[in-house]
Amino acid sequence: MHSLQFTAESSSNGMVERDFTLGEVPGVLWSPASGAERAPLVLMGHGGGNHKKHQAMAGRAQLLVTGCGFHVAVIDAPGHGDRPRTRHDEQEIAVMQRAMAAGEPVGPVVVRYNAHLAERAVPEWQATLDALQELPEIGTGGPVGYWGLNMGTAIGVPLTAVEPRITAAVFGLHWPDVLAEKAKQITIPIEFDMQWDDEHIPREAGLALFEAFASAEKTLHVNAGRHKQLPRFEADSGVRFFARHLRRVATSPA
Amino acid sequence: MHSLQFTAESSSNGMVERDFTLGEVPGVLWSPASGAERAPLVLMGHGGGNHKKHQAMAGRAQLLVTGCGFHVAVIDAPGHGDRPRTRHDEQEIAVMQRAMAAGEPVGPVVVRYNAHLAERAVPEWQATLDALQELPEIGTGGPVGYWGLNMGTAIGVPLTAVEPRITAAVFGLHWPDVLAEKAKQITIPIEFDMQWDDEHIPREAGLALFEAFASAEKTLHVNAGRHKQLPRFEADSGVRFFARHLRRVATSPA
């Protein structure tokens, strides 16, 4: 059992950024610069090929921290960011790159590789959440959200299916293969993003994954455009979603 | 050619409400209490069986007027609100009520009757817009939005298809029959609402109408729930949509 070690700290724009490690897993915790009061926590999963401090992560964190007063944590997924790649990682990445270069469908290998990464990442996220909840400014029993698209959904759906501490989640941009069965176990409120003209994920596939969630409260946001053209206003929408669902219990006793 | 006659005026919560008539068409114009500067205009179409001051209209108007500084106008649809019903209106309403009482599908008669109402309402809306743009606080050349669900979409889609002054619209909760061909002529940004468990409108029907719009910028919001369970936060979303699309040109010369 590792404990969380802070390795660096900086501050800007009302947000404190603390790098940490938990065993071999590097992460970052963004928190409000003002006040040490307990606040809700949002876990964010980054996309494939990216890392914990990618601008999409830092940008959403800024909105959640300074807009809502929440904490936000991201860890590098296996084989991503500051983490080494295994031989298996290298092989799968090469298969993906060959498929892309040849103009062949990448779905099958992305689905397979993301499922493999999720098996490694889910216990890491659970240990990270254990450790974060030992911090007095987070604590146990408070509301926890999860926000991840693409690979962040491939990891977040199986995580949320087994993790009762997560009470609201934003997912999207993924195939239903592998994930739909896990989604059927999820009943918390969700917001789900898909692109109407996604060149990788067929419409029927995106709709099928949205349909699979057992949540009574679920919202689908579809936008015209290709896979990488998710409009920036969907980040604002995700922030409002967490403000609605995490704030209402933010003041309850831990 | 009738001109717009104001018949009553009141004010509350930072919003001025002015009743008007344009010939035989009664309407209401809601405006910011502060300032006579030119501001964008949002036309709103009410739902079937409702009227211009239904709480859904007044509630959205409050958000647009005090939140964005916009003007909002609603007119009673033919056979609705303060307007007389024709014998044809009475017959079609009776057919709808019998279908509902018998638990039979209401779609076919609603689609047919709404198409009939749209034929009467579109020229009324165009005359109303002409008259409203003669007011100095609205003026010509400024941005105009349209927001209507259900019957408000049945009227709004053919209106927007022929009305180049409308530059952004929120639609939803309707069948594609009759409307899809009109939607194919629409290229302005739209936001479209549908309910995932709508007992009247099949999912495929709602998705088909969304698909029909030729707009490069279009967003679909699907929520779990039945026809009348559209979440209240979709009203906030519509307001933000108009704030994004109408404000950016609000200060351009008329």
Side-chain angles (χ1 to χ4, degrees):
Chain A
M1 187 66 186
H2 297 282
S3 71
L4 192 141
Q5 305 288 333
F6 286 112
T7 57
E9 178 168 337
S10 62
S11 183
S12 68
N13 298 322
M15 186 161 84
V16 176
E17 173 179 301
R18 284 178 285 178
D19 294 356
F20 67 80
T21 58
L22 185 70
E24 294 173 353
V25 178
V28 58
L29 177 63
W30 284 295
S31 302
S34 59
E37 277 183 44
R38 262 186 203 195
L41 170 67
V42 177
L43 311 176
M44 295 202 307
H46 64 77
N50 287 326
H51 59 85
K52 63 183 177 303
K53 290 192 188 175
H54 183 267
Q55 66 179 27
M57 300 294 105
R60 291 175 204 166
Q62 184 79 56
L63 296 171
L64 288 164
V65 169
T66 55
C68 306
F70 295 169
H71 301 278
V72 176
V74 194
I75 57 174
D76 280 331
H80 285 72
D82 296 328
R83 304 181 64 179
R85 289 179 180 172
T86 63
R87 176 179 289 187
H88 181 74
D89 291 330
E90 299 286 4
Q91 286 168 342
E92 290 288 67
I93 290 163
V95 172
M96 267 189 283
Q97 288 172 340
R98 278 197 297 274
M100 266 185 263
E104 291 166 2
V106 296
V109 59
V110 172
V111 165
R112 177 184 71 202
Y113 182 50
N114 281 355
H116 164 79
L117 293 177
E119 281 183 27
R120 293 155 69 185
V122 167
E124 293 173 354
W125 264 123
Q126 294 194 283
T128 302
L129 182 51
D130 291 345
L132 290 169
Q133 289 191 323
E134 287 177 15
L135 300 173
E137 64 270 37
I138 294 175
T140 56
V144 178
Y146 180 90
W147 189 351
L149 309 177
N150 298 294
M151 191 182 75
T153 283
I155 291 170
V157 169
L159 170 65
T160 303
V162 299
E163 184 47 77
R165 288 176 289 183
I166 297 173
T167 56
V170 176
F171 296 125
L173 299 174
H174 211 276
W175 297 259
D177 322 57
V178 180
L179 297 186
E181 284 306 309
K182 305 284 186 183
K184 288 179 187 169
Q185 303 166 35
I186 293 175
T187 58
I188 59 167
I190 65 150
E191 184 163 290
F192 189 91
D193 296 321
M194 63 176 273
Q195 289 293 93
W196 199 233
D197 311 293
D198 195 310
E199 68 275 27
H200 299 303
I201 307 171
R203 286 177 190 173
E204 302 67 36
L207 292 170
L209 181 50
F210 172 68
E211 166 63 5
F213 289 93
S215 312
E217 284 183 68
K218 59 179 180 179
T219 301
L220 170 69
H221 285 185
V222 182
N223 284 283
R226 291 161 64 87
H227 186 73
K228 294 206 169 171
Q229 292 179 321
L230 185 76
R232 191 164 289 208
F233 57 70
E234 291 299 350
D236 300 312
S237 180
V239 171
R240 284 189 299 270
F241 172 84
F242 287 115
R244 278 204 307 277
H245 290 289
L246 303 186
R247 255 190 197 147
R248 65 170 69 149
V249 287
T251 54
S252 69
Chain B
M1 187 67 190
H2 298 283
S3 70
L4 192 141
Q5 305 287 335
F6 287 113
T7 57
E9 177 168 339
S10 63
S11 181
S12 67
N13 298 322
M15 186 161 85
V16 176
E17 173 179 301
R18 283 178 286 178
D19 294 356
F20 65 82
T21 57
L22 185 71
E24 294 174 351
V25 178
V28 58
L29 177 62
W30 284 295
S31 302
S34 58
E37 277 182 45
R38 257 181 208 199
L41 169 67
V42 177
L43 311 175
M44 295 202 307
H46 63 76
N50 287 325
H51 60 86
K52 63 184 176 304
K53 291 191 188 175
H54 183 266
Q55 65 178 30
M57 298 295 105
R60 289 174 207 168
Q62 183 79 58
L63 296 171
L64 288 164
V65 169
T66 54
C68 306
F70 295 169
H71 300 278
V72 177
V74 194
I75 57 175
D76 280 333
H80 284 74
D82 296 329
R83 303 183 65 180
R85 287 179 182 172
T86 64
R87 177 178 290 186
H88 182 74
D89 291 330
E90 299 285 4
Q91 285 169 341
E92 290 289 68
I93 290 163
V95 173
M96 266 189 285
Q97 288 172 341
R98 279 198 298 274
M100 265 186 265
E104 290 166 1
V106 296
V109 59
V110 172
V111 166
R112 178 182 72 202
Y113 182 50
N114 281 356
H116 165 79
L117 292 177
E119 281 182 27
R120 293 156 66 186
V122 167
E124 294 173 353
W125 264 123
Q126 294 194 284
T128 302
L129 182 52
D130 290 344
L132 289 169
Q133 288 192 323
E134 288 177 14
L135 299 174
E137 64 269 37
I138 294 175
T140 55
V144 178
Y146 180 91
W147 189 352
L149 308 177
N150 297 295
M151 190 182 76
T153 283
I155 291 170
V157 169
L159 171 65
T160 302
V162 299
E163 184 46 79
R165 288 175 289 182
I166 297 174
T167 56
V170 176
F171 297 124
L173 299 173
H174 210 276
W175 297 260
D177 322 59
V178 181
L179 297 187
E181 285 306 308
K182 305 283 187 185
K184 287 178 186 170
Q185 303 165 35
I186 294 175
T187 58
I188 59 168
I190 65 150
E191 185 163 291
F192 189 92
D193 295 322
M194 63 176 275
Q195 289 291 93
W196 198 234
D197 311 293
D198 195 310
E199 67 276 28
H200 299 303
I201 307 171
R203 285 176 192 175
E204 300 68 34
L207 292 171
L209 182 49
F210 171 68
E211 167 61 6
F213 289 93
S215 312
E217 284 184 67
K218 59 179 181 179
T219 301
L220 170 70
H221 285 184
V222 182
N223 284 283
R226 289 161 65 87
H227 185 73
K228 294 207 169 173
Q229 292 179 320
L230 185 76
R232 190 162 292 208
F233 57 70
E234 291 298 350
D236 300 311
S237 180
V239 171
R240 281 190 301 271
F241 171 84
F242 287 116
R244 276 204 308 276
H245 290 290
L246 303 186
R247 254 187 198 152
R248 64 168 71 148
V249 287
T251 55
S252 68

